[in-house]
Amino acid sequence: PYTAEIEELLRWLNKLTHSEWLPAALQYWGRYSKQPELLLRFLKDLDRLSVGLLLQNLSHNKRSERYRQLQMAIKQEKDVYEDSSPLQLSETEQHTIYRALDGNLYANVNASLCKYILLRLDTLLSDGTATYDLPIISVEHVLPQKPVSNSEWMRWFPGGAHNRYVHRLGNLVLLSQHTNYNANNYDFAKKKMVYFSNKGFCPFVITSHVLHADKWTPDVVDRRQRELVNKLASYWKFSGPSLHIVRGA
């Protein structure tokens, strides 16, 4: 039971840039291998914790200490699903994570974590049916990082608006590296044509949303930002100032 869900969670955990979560997972698995419903519950919370610690930009030592505490709790047969457990994220931690997702994500976390978050989003938006066959995937800014001064981008994002929006989740998509290079600083209409140059097909659901926009303005990015952040917050049960998630809901 739950084989597909358990394997999917393990695949995502293995895509993280560290394996600090692994000893705790093995320890829990050794104790509860005959109770797959508990393994699934644990891996869901471990996935949430592992991503949450990275989004808080905690040091390797602080993350390692948290996992050590979790191992001790498992060894001592404590209830790891209590709010005070090291497996769970405090309300303060959740708010910090939510703010990280809702802020300048691309600038504030490393590139691999940003790509990871976008891939998780893409899977959620595709109801888990997305597959990634491209050998190289990169993060693309729809509003370019360095737009030409007389471009339509600067008319849509005048003054300091460019800096406020360019690195936010709502402005980011996934592309093959080849397509990313070709898209570069094109105006929006031409960028859309490059994104969907393969007979109107794009393998990433998160990127295909761009096709439906006539313009790429602050209002569009704001709306997309809310949708994407709330999608992640609902999945991982992160509570924030504009979304309150009740654990177990």
Side-chain angles (χ1 to χ4, degrees):
Y2 313 113
T3 296
E5 296 95 326
I6 287 171
E7 288 183 348
E8 178 71 2
L9 285 165
L10 288 172
R11 277 195 291 272
W12 282 116
L13 281 163
N14 274 297
K15 289 181 186 291
L16 293 172
T17 55
H18 66 81
S19 58
E20 297 159 356
W21 56 272
L22 186 54
L26 288 172
Q27 188 173 5
Y28 195 86
W29 196 290
R31 288 176 176 266
Y32 301 101
S33 59
K34 304 298 185 183
Q35 298 175 263
E37 70 284 354
L38 278 182
L39 292 179
L40 179 60
R41 184 181 183 185
F42 179 81
L43 288 174
K44 282 182 176 180
D45 282 2
L46 185 63
D47 172 59
R48 175 179 183 257
L49 173 68
S50 300
V51 174
L53 295 180
L54 290 174
L55 284 169
Q56 292 179 80
N57 277 323
L58 296 181
S59 67
H60 168 77
N61 288 342
K62 288 185 177 181
R63 294 197 310 267
S64 296
E65 174 59 21
R66 182 65 166 266
Y67 290 115
R68 188 194 67 79
Q69 292 173 6
L70 176 56
Q71 286 183 261
M72 288 298 299
I74 297 169
K75 183 179 180 179
Q76 295 169 5
E77 298 186 342
K78 293 183 177 179
D79 183 358
V80 294
Y81 303 108
E82 288 184 345
D83 289 343
S84 59
S85 163
L87 180 61
Q88 307 305 325
L89 294 165
S90 70
E91 187 172 352
T92 298
E93 288 177 317
Q94 291 179 55
H95 289 177
T96 299
I97 295 163
Y98 190 96
R99 285 193 296 270
L101 290 171
D102 200 30
N104 293 321
L105 184 69
Y106 186 87
N108 293 336
V109 302
N110 62 59
S112 60
L113 179 57
C114 187
K115 186 193 299 186
Y116 178 89
I117 295 298
L118 286 165
L119 285 168
R120 294 298 296 262
L121 258 175
D122 198 71
T123 300
L124 293 175
L125 294 170
S126 63
D127 297 323
T129 60
T131 58
Y132 308 106
D133 297 326
L134 294 172
I136 300 175
I137 299 171
S138 62
V139 176
E140 165 73 2
H141 295 70
V142 182
L143 165 65
Q145 296 186 70
K146 297 180 180 179
V148 178
S149 58
N150 61 348
S151 66
E152 68 180 2
W153 298 115
M154 299 311 293
R155 294 195 298 273
W156 289 344
F157 295 86
H162 174 269
N163 291 336
R164 290 198 301 273
Y165 285 95
V166 66
H167 294 313
R168 301 190 78 197
L169 191 58
N171 187 53
L172 304 176
V173 296
L174 292 168
L175 296 176
S176 71
Q177 195 170 69
H178 174 71
T179 306
N180 178 288
Y181 176 79
N182 287 335
N184 207 1
N185 284 341
Y186 293 155
D187 281 345
F188 185 58
K190 190 169 184 179
K191 262 202 167 186
K192 285 203 298 181
M193 184 175 64
V194 172
Y195 286 162
F196 303 100
S197 59
N198 185 17
K199 299 179 181 179
F201 173 74
C202 177
F204 303 109
V205 176
I206 196 169
T207 307
S208 65
H209 292 172
V210 179
L211 182 63
H212 304 296
D214 296 323
K215 295 182 179 181
W216 200 257
T217 62
D219 285 344
V220 172
V221 179
D222 279 335
R223 182 171 62 253
R224 190 168 182 264
Q225 178 80 9
R226 288 193 298 272
E227 291 172 357
L228 297 182
V229 171
N230 286 348
K231 189 79 173 178
L232 290 171
S234 294
Y235 176 74
W236 275 313
K237 296 181 173 62
F238 297 148
S239 64
S242 61
L243 180 70
H244 182 70
I245 301 296
V246 178
R247 285 195 55 75

